[in-house]
């Protein structure tokens, strides 16, 4: 009955009571199973345009609770030049929802769409025996969420900016 017990500070002479943890801890299993039906087509409407999409069926379970959902992802790739491409990806385009069962309230959880726009430019460089690709990606989520975990927030829509570089050595090692 020490008054400092449970203060969140572990003193050097204190030890974790694993017996107490075992008395109150419960093992919970978290599983996800997904089935995706996808279709893609290159040269869709134009020689430099590729389109595709996936319908996804997901079953999620956490402990004794489980949910089913269905969602739709869409994508497009435009090859502006042989070395320069633009891509558009819409995840959960129809606002995917998880329909929970066996829970006290049986809630419906919504997964809002995410739109990603990206570009990549590749340059062959004989001086380094390979190629360099620079890429830029912008992702926007359609939900009113704090921007703390994201790069920016535009009118209540959080977003991320990602930049990357890839080096290919003789088309064998990246």
């Amino acid at each position: 009955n020490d008054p400092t017990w449970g203060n969140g500070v572990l003193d050097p002479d204190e030890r974790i009571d694993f017996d107490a943890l075992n008395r109150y801890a419960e093992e919970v299993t978290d599983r996800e199973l997904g089935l995706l039906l996808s279709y893609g087509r290159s040269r869709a409407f134009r020689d430099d345009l590729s389109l595709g999409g996936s319908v996804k069926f997901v079953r999620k379970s956490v402990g004794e609770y489980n949910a089913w959902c269905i969602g739709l992802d869409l994508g497009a790739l435009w090859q502006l030049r042989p070395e320069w491409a633009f891509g558009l990806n819409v995840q959960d385009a129809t606002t995917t929802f998880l329909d929970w069962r066996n829970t006290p309230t049986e809630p419906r959880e919504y997964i809002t769409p995410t739109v990603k726009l990206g570009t990549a430019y590749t340059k062959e460089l004989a001086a380094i025996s390979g190629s360099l690709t620079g890429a830029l990606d912008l992702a926007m989520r359609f939900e009113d969420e704090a921007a703390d975990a994201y790069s920016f927030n535009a009118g209540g829509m959080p977003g991320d900016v990602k930049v990357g570089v890839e080096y290919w050595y003789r088309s064998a090692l990246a």
Side-chain angles (χ1 to χ4, degrees):
N1 292 332
D2 183 354
T4 62
W5 186 80
N7 64 2
V9 177
L10 188 62
D11 293 326
D13 58 337
E14 284 185 294
R15 299 287 182 254
I16 296 175
D17 185 354
F18 287 105
D19 291 330
L21 285 175
N22 288 332
R23 282 193 300 271
Y24 299 107
E26 179 185 336
E27 185 174 313
V28 176
T29 303
D30 183 0
R31 294 187 180 117
E32 258 186 55
L33 176 66
L35 171 68
L36 279 77
L37 302 174
S38 302
Y39 178 78
R41 182 176 179 154
S42 59
R43 294 195 263 343
F45 307 112
R46 303 169 45 136
D47 286 344
D48 56 357
L49 183 64
S50 299
L51 300 174
S54 292
V55 175
K56 55 189 173 186
F57 302 91
V58 178
R59 183 175 192 278
K60 182 171 181 60
S61 63
V62 179
E64 64 198 55
Y65 308 121
N66 60 67
W68 284 95
C69 76
I70 185 170
L72 177 67
D73 296 343
L74 303 170
L77 180 66
W78 177 37
Q79 198 71 42
L80 182 65
R81 295 189 190 129
E83 69 278 0
W84 194 10
F86 287 91
L88 174 68
N89 174 246
V90 181
Q91 297 172 333
D92 302 300
T94 58
T95 304
T96 302
F97 64 89
L98 288 163
D99 198 12
W100 287 94
R101 297 284 183 231
N102 305 330
T103 66
T105 60
E106 296 193 2
R108 184 172 274 186
E109 180 182 347
Y110 294 93
I111 303 170
T112 58
T114 299
V115 175
K116 294 182 178 181
L117 181 62
T119 186
Y121 185 84
T122 301
K123 181 75 175 166
E124 295 288 333
L125 299 169
I128 60 172
S129 301
S131 65
L132 278 177
T133 300
L136 174 68
D137 183 66
L138 171 68
M140 296 289 298
R141 294 193 63 88
F142 288 88
E143 59 187 30
D144 190 14
E145 193 172 296
D148 298 344
Y150 299 95
S151 301
F152 64 91
N153 196 330
M157 291 178 14
D160 277 320
V161 177
K162 296 179 182 164
V163 178
V165 176
E166 179 181 71
Y167 167 62
W168 271 91
Y169 176 71
R170 295 187 183 189
S171 298
L173 181 66

